[in-house]
Amino acid sequence: MWSDQEKPIVEQIRGLRKLDDSVRVHTTKDLALQIRALPVVPNKLRLAEALANLSTEGDFGHDTLQEVTTTLSASLAEQPPAAEKGAPNSMYVELASLVRYEHMQATSDNPQFAAAMARLEADDAERQNADFTLTDLQGKTWHLKELRGKVVLVNFWATWCPPCRKEMPDLDALYNRFKDQGFVVVAISDEEAAKVAPFIAERKISYPVVLDPGRKVNDLFVVEGIPKSFVYDRDGKMVAQSIDMRTRNQFLEMLGQAGLK
């Protein structure tokens, strides 16, 4: 049950994706401040987490995301949730992701936060050494290690995912811009070809889309939410990654770390 003070916040969070990005920036920052001002009740932490989950869908500015991060950090300090089967609670993993991947400032003396940071570091080591062989919609086989010498962006997505759909046109435009410079996008879906193929054809997406039946590669990359993207340079080193949807400029910044300008 939501209190009368919480209900307007809930409705605004639910409507964030419907807003123009320029409006969403200010609304997100305002929501972070409203949540922080709430009394210390269980719903406060739920709202802080819900807002954090939506605030990495694109580029809403450093200041806005820092306010969201500060609100989540403060809410966790007020009401530390229990660990989950010996692993850090997902809310601490969310906070650690904001610090490690979005370069936000946050501290916590709760051991779950340190454990979450260590888990992310271990996950990145797995991704650095990951390899896979998957087949695309045209029947061509793609082997990650055989793409050495190219800049590779591995993108995890699904047809049902709104932020995935939102970033696809920008990703396709960048693929066509840089493919002659040795840039490859390998987009991985765990759905069936019968669902993926018409979706891709309707949107005229030109980069390779491969299928991951059984989610073996999703699990290999420790993908628990989508979209997620990983950029490897020409030597096969993972140089950049995103934990959510990226804008064209954000993708450009990632590719720049692999030497594409």
Side-chain angles (χ1 to χ4, degrees):
M1 298 293 292
W2 303 106
S3 70
D4 290 341
Q5 190 177 8
E6 294 162 351
K7 286 177 182 177
I9 297 175
V10 173
E11 291 305 312
Q12 288 184 81
I13 289 176
R14 289 173 177 168
L16 276 176
R17 283 179 174 165
K18 299 177 183 178
L19 301 178
D20 181 83
D21 283 357
S22 61
V23 177
R24 187 169 170 176
V25 169
H26 303 294
T27 303
T28 297
K29 187 173 184 178
D30 185 56
L31 283 169
L33 298 175
Q34 289 183 54
I35 294 169
R36 209 181 306 165
L38 288 172
V40 181
V41 294
N43 282 343
K44 181 175 184 177
L45 186 54
R46 295 190 191 102
L47 290 170
E49 182 189 32
L51 185 63
N53 286 337
L54 291 169
S55 297
T56 51
E57 293 180 355
D59 186 4
F60 304 113
H62 180 278
D63 291 346
T64 294
L65 193 54
Q66 183 60 61
E67 292 291 1
V68 171
T69 303
T70 300
T71 293
L72 179 60
S73 178
S75 300
L76 283 167
E78 292 171 345
Q79 303 177 82
E84 299 171 340
K85 298 179 180 178
N89 188 281
S90 61
M91 297 187 191
Y92 282 103
V93 177
E94 178 73 23
L95 182 64
S97 296
L98 289 166
V99 171
R100 183 173 177 85
Y101 303 124
E102 301 287 358
H103 313 297
M104 295 295 106
Q105 297 296 315
T107 57
S108 171
D109 57 6
N110 191 297
Q112 290 191 69
F113 179 69
M117 292 293 288
R119 172 183 153 181
L120 296 182
E121 184 176 356
D123 289 347
D124 286 342
E126 291 290 328
R127 293 159 181 156
Q128 174 59 66
N129 297 315
D131 193 17
F132 60 79
T133 301
L134 293 174
T135 303
D136 68 20
L137 296 172
Q138 287 70 44
K140 179 179 177 179
T141 298
W142 293 84
H143 186 176
L144 181 59
K145 294 297 186 184
E146 290 181 356
L147 295 174
R148 291 283 174 89
K150 299 181 181 294
V151 173
V152 182
L153 187 150
V154 178
N155 174 256
F156 291 86
W157 72 286
T159 61
W160 51 261
C161 164
C164 300
R165 296 196 296 266
K166 188 174 181 180
E167 75 177 4
M168 290 178 87
D170 284 335
L171 189 54
D172 194 54
L174 291 173
Y175 170 68
N176 285 299
R177 173 177 169 181
F178 290 116
K179 64 182 180 181
D180 292 339
Q181 298 181 42
F183 174 48
V184 177
V185 174
V186 181
I188 300 176
S189 172
D190 64 356
E191 298 171 284
E192 297 178 355
K195 180 176 289 186
V196 176
F199 180 92
I200 293 298
E202 180 183 352
R203 286 160 179 78
K204 297 181 173 59
I205 299 300
S206 55
Y207 53 74
V209 175
V210 301
L211 302 179
D212 179 27
R215 292 182 54 84
K216 292 181 180 179
V217 179
N218 276 261
D219 292 343
L220 181 65
F221 276 77
V222 200
V223 172
E224 297 175 349
I226 53 175
K228 278 189 170 56
S229 296
F230 304 91
V231 174
Y232 296 83
D233 67 13
R234 299 181 195 275
D235 296 322
K237 179 183 177 182
M238 187 177 71
V239 294
Q241 63 175 288
S242 70
I243 62 172
D244 210 328
M245 189 208 111
R246 300 291 84 165
T247 64
R248 186 177 305 201
N249 284 338
Q250 287 175 310
F251 275 131
L252 277 170
E253 183 177 341
M254 293 171 68
L255 296 179
Q257 294 181 57
L260 286 180
K261 302 291 184 181

